[in-house]
Every structure is written in structure tokens, then in C-alpha cells.
């Protein structure tokens, strides 16, 4: 009887000590929901989904998600997840920021990590965006060195900040390597319309470009058919979008570091309204330049050396690539 009492007391003491720890220290995993406006195959949402899936496979989180959720239905789905007892929601607030902020007010115990063009909100809504402008600058250096007629084409979705900053950085890198280079800039008015992107790329090739920046899917196919090179965006388009012998390299975006930071904060009970910009840049592993693969021997050694030097300077904080969200314009 005495033995059982001591055992019970010991268990109670262990539980009490655990409860005294901050936040969710008892839980080995937390419940996380992802809400996506596009199919998870669409590259932007895919990067979020892949990072969360890896966290789930590592045993860090329990993960559920909804895809193809329209903006008109988004807040309803968000509220349902908050009501269901999730600890963290990862999603998008573009176009519905005001409504998402109301949800943050109504569920202060739920951490929100939302893609958003505006800043953090309250105590529980952190924000992120796509900041891969640094590897875009490095790609531009290579593109400016590889064009033969000094004309580069760029096909994007919409002229909004998260796209504009990538194009502007790419153009700055190309100009740094080759001041004579000119640009043709087009936006297709869609996040996912490969046939339309391909059509716009054809038009640019007809206008004389011999290098393409494929911000949208479909551009690589046009480059392949017309026998010119391209540079990829967000995912590794050489390996993931039939880019062998076409895509020289890609500016990669990874949300693993950002997701890891958010999950750690939720578990520790220290989640706060932060801007996760730095977690999507090169220094923290949120952005990178993809391998050159079969193009490794085709890029001049001097160009690769200059890119490596610039990359080292970026990582050391000695070279700061400007974040320019203004709409880029064609120069020819």
C-alpha cells in the first residue's frame, strides 16, 4: 500500500513539473492545418505542403489540409479548423487580410502563419511571403553571361510584389554581368495556365529573346521547342518540370526553416506575431540556387566563380540585394 502511494505521488510530481513548463511542452506533436487556394500541385502551395508533410513525417506535427479553397470560402474553412482544436494554421491571406485578422482576434489561442503582403497582426498572426530575390539575382548574373543577342524574356503570373521583386532582382543580376542586356516582360494574368504562359513565351522568342525566365509553368516547354535556355522559379524546374537540357538553374524557395521556427515557438508557448521574411531568404536556408546539372560544364568557369563570390557575400551580409516590388517594364 505504501509502495503504491509513493508511486502515485511520484507520478503526480512528474505531471506537475511537466505542467509547469511553458506552452505545449507536454506534446511531442502539435496539430497543424494547411489551407490552400490552389491545388497542392501548384508550385507555390506545393512548397508549403511539402514542408508541412516533412514535419509530419519527422513526427513533429499532426497535419491535415484543405486545397482549392476559394477566397469567398476561405474564412469559413479557417474558422472550422480553429474550432477543431488545431494549434497552428498555415495558409494565405492575400486578398482577404482584413477577414483573416478578424479570425485571429476571435481565436487568440490558435497560432496563424499566413502568406500576406501586410505585416504581422495582434499577438498570434505571423506573416510570410516569397523572398527568393537573392538567388534570382545570382540567376540573372548567369543569364546575362549566357545570352548571345543580349535579349532576355520574362513570363510571370501577375505584376504584384512577390513576383516583381524576383524579376527586378533577376534583371539587376543580369545587368551587373552584362550592362548591354535588354528585357521583354510579360504577365499572363493567372497563377496556373501553362498553355497561356507557353503562348506568351513564344511571342517573346519571336521578338528575339534567346533566354527565358520561367516564373510560370509552361515557359520551359516553349524554350525546349524553340531550342533556347531558361531559368526556373520556386521549385527545381530542371528536375520537376521536364527541364533537362533547358533549365540552367532555378531560384529555390523552401518553407522548412520557417515552418520549423513556427512549430518550435508553438510548442514552447512563445509563438508571436512576427514577419518571417528572414526565414525565407538565403541566410536561414529559405532560398537557394539549384544545381547546374548538365549545364555545369557549359557555364564559363569565370562566371561560376563570380556567382560563388556573390553568394558568399550575400550569406555574409556584405551584399544586400534590393527588394524592389515595383512593376518591372520591358526595355525593348
Amino acid at each position: 500500500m505504501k509502495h503504491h502511494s509513493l508511486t502515485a505521488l511520484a507520478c503526480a510530481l512528474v505531471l506537475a513539473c511537466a505542467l509547469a513548463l511553458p506552452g505545449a511542452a507536454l506534446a511531442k506533436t502539435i496539430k497543424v492545418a494547411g489551407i490552400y487556394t490552389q491545388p497542392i500541385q501548384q508550385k507555390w502551395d506545393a512548397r508549403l505542403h511539402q514542408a508541412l508533410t516533412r514535419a509530419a513525417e519527422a513526427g513533429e506535427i499532426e497535419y491535415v489540409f484543405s486545397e482549392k479553397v476559394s477566397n469567398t470560402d476561405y474564412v469559413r474553412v479557417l474558422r472550422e479548423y480553429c474550432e477543431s482544436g488545431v494549434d497552428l494554421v498555415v495558409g494565405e491571406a492575400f486578398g482577404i487580410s482584413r477577414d483573416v485578422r478578424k479570425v485571429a482576434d476571435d481565436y487568440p489561442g490558435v497560432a496563424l502563419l499566413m502568406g500576406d503582403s501586410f505585416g504581422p497582426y495582434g499577438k498570434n498572426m505571423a506573416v510570410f511571403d516569397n523572398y527568393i530575390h537573392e538567388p534570382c539575382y545570382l540567376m540573372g548574373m548567369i543569364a546575362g553571361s549566357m545570352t548571345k543577342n543580349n535579349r532576355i524574356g520574362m513570363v510571370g503570373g501577375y505584376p504584384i510584389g512577390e513576383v516583381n521583386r524576383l524579376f527586378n532582382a533577376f534583371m539587376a543580376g543580369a545587368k551587373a554581368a552584362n550592362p548591354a542586356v535588354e528585357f521583354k516582360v510579360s504577365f499572363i494574368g493567372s497563377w496556373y495556365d501553362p498553355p497561356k504562359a507557353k503562348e506568351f513565351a513564344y511571342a517573346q522568342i519571336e521578338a528575339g529573346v534567346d533566354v527565358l525566365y520561367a516564373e510560370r509553368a509552361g515557359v520551359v516547354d516553349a524554350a525546349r521547342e524553340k531550342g533556347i535556355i531558361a531559368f526556373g522559379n520556386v521549385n527545381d524546374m530542371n528536375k520537376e518540370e521536364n527541364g533537362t537540357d533547358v533549365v540552367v538553374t532555378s531560384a529555390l524557395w523552401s518553407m522548412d526553416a520557417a515552418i520549423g521556427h513556427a512549430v518550435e515557438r508553438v510548442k514552447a508557448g512563445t509563438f508571436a506575431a512576427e514577419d518571417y521574411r528572414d526565414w525565407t531568404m538565403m541566410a536561414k536556408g529559405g532560398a537557394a540556387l539549384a544545381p547546374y546539372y548538365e549545364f555545369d560544364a557549359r557555364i564559363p568557369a569565370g562566371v561560376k566563380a563570380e556567382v560563388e563570390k556573390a553568394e558568399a557575400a550575400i550569406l555574409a551580409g556584405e551584399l544586400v540585394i534590393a527588394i524592389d516590388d515595383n512593376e518591372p517594364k520591358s526595355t525593348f
Side-chain angles (χ1 to χ4, degrees):
M1 194 67 180
K2 184 178 180 182
H3 172 74
H4 289 301
S5 297
L6 289 174
T7 301
L9 178 60
C11 290
L13 287 172
V14 169
L15 180 61
C17 290
L19 289 172
L21 294 174
L26 276 175
K28 291 183 179 180
T29 62
I30 60 170
K31 296 180 179 179
V32 181
I35 312 178
Y36 310 115
T37 58
Q38 303 292 322
I40 56 172
Q41 289 79 16
Q42 193 267 354
K43 65 171 69 183
W44 203 90
D45 286 326
R47 305 309 279 179
L48 305 179
H49 178 66
Q50 290 163 6
L52 288 165
T53 297
R54 284 188 284 268
E57 291 171 348
E60 293 294 321
I61 66 173
E62 295 176 24
Y63 173 49
V64 294
F65 69 92
S66 297
E67 60 180 323
K68 295 182 283 189
V69 179
S70 66
N71 276 357
T72 55
D73 202 31
Y74 202 96
V75 170
R76 178 190 65 79
V77 176
L78 176 57
R79 287 185 179 277
E80 286 181 355
Y81 274 127
C82 290
E83 288 286 347
S84 74
V86 299
D87 302 293
L88 170 67
V89 179
V90 178
E92 308 155 61
F94 298 109
I96 50 171
S97 295
R98 185 175 300 175
D99 293 329
V100 171
R101 279 159 169 73
K102 291 178 181 177
V103 178
D105 286 335
D106 292 342
Y107 297 93
V110 179
L112 303 181
L113 177 59
M114 309 298 291
D116 197 2
S117 300
F118 300 99
Y121 176 77
K123 295 182 178 179
N124 62 322
M125 181 175 165
V127 298
F128 68 90
D129 205 341
N130 183 339
Y131 286 94
I132 57 171
H133 57 291
E134 294 164 326
C136 285
Y137 179 91
L138 301 177
M139 285 201 311
M141 292 176 64
I142 302 170
S145 301
M146 295 184 75
T147 177
K148 294 180 175 62
N149 62 7
N150 294 332
R151 289 188 168 186
I152 296 176
M154 311 172 73
V155 179
Y158 294 93
I160 63 172
E162 65 176 314
V163 177
N164 296 344
R165 71 179 67 116
L166 310 187
F167 277 16
N168 285 321
F170 182 87
M171 294 165 78
K175 280 284 190 181
N178 179 1
V181 74
E182 295 182 279
F183 304 94
K184 183 68 74 177
V185 182
S186 302
F187 297 97
I188 67 172
S190 172
W191 290 129
Y192 191 73
D193 190 341
K196 191 172 184 180
K198 188 175 181 179
E199 178 185 333
F200 275 64
Y202 279 149
Q204 292 191 350
I205 294 168
E206 288 296 318
V209 310
D210 65 349
V211 175
L212 283 165
Y213 178 10
E215 198 269 334
R216 290 292 102 193
V219 177
V220 172
D221 292 336
R224 177 180 297 284
E225 292 177 14
K226 295 298 183 178
I228 68 172
I229 60 174
F231 289 81
N233 187 67
V234 172
N235 61 333
D236 189 339
M237 296 177 75
N238 183 292
K239 297 305 178 189
E240 297 178 42
E241 296 194 28
N242 191 33
T244 303
D245 289 321
V246 177
V247 178
V248 178
T249 185
S250 299
L252 303 179
W253 180 37
S254 170
M255 278 295 289
D256 291 72
I259 295 297
H261 178 65
V263 169
E264 180 183 346
R265 285 295 187 96
V266 172
K267 287 185 175 184
T270 58
F271 188 88
E274 302 175 69
D275 188 333
Y276 276 51
R277 175 186 297 188
D278 290 348
W279 292 95
T280 63
M281 291 169 62
M282 291 185 72
K284 290 185 179 292
L289 194 64
Y292 302 138
Y293 300 114
E294 64 277 3
F295 284 93
D296 189 60
R298 306 184 206 177
I299 304 171
V303 173
K304 290 192 289 186
E306 286 300 311
V307 170
E308 290 176 6
K309 181 179 177 182
E311 180 176 6
I314 290 170
L315 293 173
E318 298 166 359
L319 174 60
V320 178
I321 307 303
I323 298 173
D324 183 356
D325 287 354
N326 294 308
E327 182 177 345
K329 303 293 185 182
S330 297
T331 57
F332 74 94

